[in-house]
Amino acid sequence: MDGELRKVRAPGAGPADKLTHMTAPLTARQRLAALHRYAAVNREDFTGQNLASARTSRLRFTRCSFIGADLRHATLDGCSFKLCDLSGADLRGASLRGISLAGCDLRGADLRDTDLADARLGSVNTGIPPFGLTDVTGARFEGAYLREVQADGVIGWPPGRGGNE
């Protein structure tokens, strides 16, 4: 992805369209859905984007911004997020099964009713103490499914919510 702009053909409406092809850029949701499993997504800016109901799995996001993004009911199973900013993101009802969050900012994120089964939240070694901790301060977890969540090296993890308290 890294700034690459892909285009698709718009459907033709008449004979004149056979000579002239209009193109429309793919939306962020379409670009993510088009990526193959284990694809790397580096330094992409999804700030404020509508990614509701996006469906993808096992992508590797590094240093991406999802600040205030709408990820309601998205399916991001098995994705890896490293040093990503998801502060204020709306993840209500999303499927985040088996995701990995390392050194990510989720302050104020809305994780109500998300499925975080088998998720791993932790830190990344940045070389500077406290080594890129994941921060969930102020995130909302009401109704979230937290079976087998591993939370080690996480700031603001809510007491009584499982994980490594």
Side-chain angles (χ1 to χ4, degrees), residues 6-51:
R6 297 184 184 175
K7 298 185 181 216
V8 294
R9 288 185 183 181
D17 290 320
K18 291 180 181 176
L19 300 175
T20 308
H21 298 287
M22 294 179 50
T23 58
L26 293 175
T27 66
R29 184 183 312 123
Q30 291 168 326
R31 287 186 299 147
L32 288 176
L35 294 173
H36 61 84
R37 285 183 169 208
Y38 305 106
V41 182
N42 299 307
R43 298 184 185 276
E44 285 286 327
D45 187 357
F46 299 103
T47 298
Q49 293 284 324
N50 179 1
L51 299 170

Side-chain angles (χ1 to χ4, degrees), residues 135-164:
D135 191 347
V136 296
T137 303
R140 298 186 66 183
F141 288 95
E142 297 89 356
Y145 185 64
L146 301 172
R147 183 183 58 82
E148 301 296 323
V149 169
Q150 297 173 28
D152 187 28
V154 178
I155 299 169
W157 186 252
R161 290 288 187 173
N164 302 338

